[in-house]
Amino acid sequence: MKLNQSTRLAIWSIVELASRPGEQVPVNEIAQIYGISQHHLAKVLRTPSRAGIVGSTRGPGGGCEFTGNANRLTLYDIVQLFEGDREEEETPEVPSTPVAAEVARVLMEIDRITTATLKSVTLQTIIRNAERKEERRKEASRKTAPAGETDMADGVEPASEKA
Amino acid sequence: MQAGVQASHNQITIDDVCLADIPQIIEIDSEITKIAKPELWYSYYAPAGRSQPRWFLVAHEDARVVGYILGEVRAWEFGSPPCGWIFAIGVSPDQRIGGIGTRLLDAMIERFRPTGVKTIRTMLHIDENVLMSFFRSQGLAAGPFIQLEASIDL
């Protein structure tokens, strides 16, 4: 799906913040994770900040914090902040031929699926699904790794070494 | 962006459906869909003539039914290898956001698992935002099949 660059950056950073509840995350840290300009990201984050879903604190130890409800906020809500309400977009005038009407119907079909998808995905769903995939990946590496190497693969000391 | 209200629950148990549960299931479904379908629900209860494994589970809070789920393993329809279909799931509107739907789905997956299926699947109306959000929160996403339809007078 084609989204404005600002919308895409906002989705990345808001989900990142929502995955770290209660944490003040420096903008430069998010910019580094996603390989984007800190200056541009700071500008992008002004919009969700005005909407009350991102808060920021200046000074040492300061940063940005997610202040919305991750269980309720959907991708649609973020897209809407940057690109307006897709459902209220005016349908462009099309020539009144059967072919033009059929093209318009197909484009509306695509829009309807896109909107339904964006509205059904909450930030918490993205975070939870990412965690699930990570757990599965670790589980799979535990099953395939030779005995004794499994815990190290997850960055955890083997129990025998701890003792 | 609505505020969710956490329902408080007494002990919830997930059980196989019994005949006495059906009227309460009809009531919950009718509250959600605004259409009462007693014949449908009694037909789901009747196991006669079924060749595919099917499960009909209910969530009970004491003797009260607060949710239900209906699932079946179906094979090779539309060219799909065996998969676990969720045909219906519903939670009483006053009992939502308390994990009952998750427990029902988990219980159904545990019924599916011994059959060897690796995929669960469901179909829902595109405007069913709440239900679609629920399934997505459980890890379901658009799959390789797409539903198409047309008026019969095409």
Side-chain angles (χ1 to χ4, degrees), chain B residues 78-125:
Chain B
F78 315 108
S80 164
C83 100
W85 271 92
I86 307 295
F87 286 116
I89 184 167
V91 173
S92 186
D94 66 342
Q95 295 291 317
R96 291 201 179 146
I97 333 247
I100 294 175
T102 302
R103 288 194 53 193
L104 283 163
L105 186 62
D106 287 347
M108 184 59 73
I109 290 169
E110 289 315 309
R111 302 298 199 283
F112 286 152
R113 208 182 289 282
T115 70
V117 298
K118 299 289 181 210
T119 306
I120 58 168
R121 183 175 292 145
T122 192
M123 183 160 73
L124 61 162
H125 194 277

Side-chain angles (χ1 to χ4, degrees), chain A residues 53 69 72-74 77 80 109 112-113 115-117 119-122 125 128-129 132, chain B residues 1-5 97 125-129 132-134 136-140 146 148:
Chain A
I53 54 177
N69 180 346
R72 294 283 153 190
L73 195 77
T74 65
D77 296 322
Q80 195 180 11
E109 181 183 325
R112 197 175 180 206
I113 293 171
T115 300
T117 303
K119 279 187 166 180
S120 69
V121 179
T122 65
T125 288
R128 199 177 299 143
N129 287 344
R132 272 199 197 107
Chain B
M1 293 189 229
Q2 310 158 305
V5 179
I97 333 247
H125 194 277
I126 196 164
D127 295 333
E128 284 265 24
N129 276 326
M132 206 185 300
S133 290
F134 166 73
R136 285 191 177 277
S137 75
Q138 303 298 312
L140 281 80
I146 190 159
L148 299 174

Side-chain angles (χ1 to χ4, degrees), chain A residues 54-77:
Chain A
V54 169
S56 60
T57 315
R58 289 169 188 269
C64 291
E65 185 183 4
F66 178 69
T67 50
N69 180 346
N71 284 309
R72 294 283 153 190
L73 195 77
T74 65
L75 290 183
Y76 187 86
D77 296 322

Side-chain angles (χ1 to χ4, degrees), chain A residues 19-95:
Chain A
S19 72
R20 298 157 70 170
E23 199 180 324
Q24 295 284 337
V25 186
V27 174
N28 66 345
E29 190 185 321
I30 303 173
Q32 244 177 6
I33 294 172
Y34 294 101
I36 49 184
S37 134
Q38 182 184 337
H39 177 71
H40 185 43
L41 182 59
K43 223 164 102 181
V44 165
L45 286 175
R46 277 183 215 151
T47 301
S49 173
R50 276 196 295 271
I53 54 177
V54 169
S56 60
T57 315
R58 289 169 188 269
C64 291
E65 185 183 4
F66 178 69
T67 50
N69 180 346
N71 284 309
R72 294 283 153 190
L73 195 77
T74 65
L75 290 183
Y76 187 86
D77 296 322
I78 300 176
V79 172
Q80 195 180 11
L81 279 179
F82 286 84
E83 302 187 14
D85 195 336
R86 296 171 65 90
E87 288 180 314
E88 285 177 10
E89 269 175 27
E90 281 182 30
T91 315
E93 286 280 321
V94 289

Side-chain angles (χ1 to χ4, degrees), chain B residues 41 44 54-56 68-72 85-88 108:
Chain B
W41 290 107
Y44 283 151
R54 170 181 281 187
W55 294 271
F56 192 171
Y68 56 84
I69 188 167
L70 185 71
E72 184 174 307
W85 271 92
I86 307 295
F87 286 116
M108 184 59 73

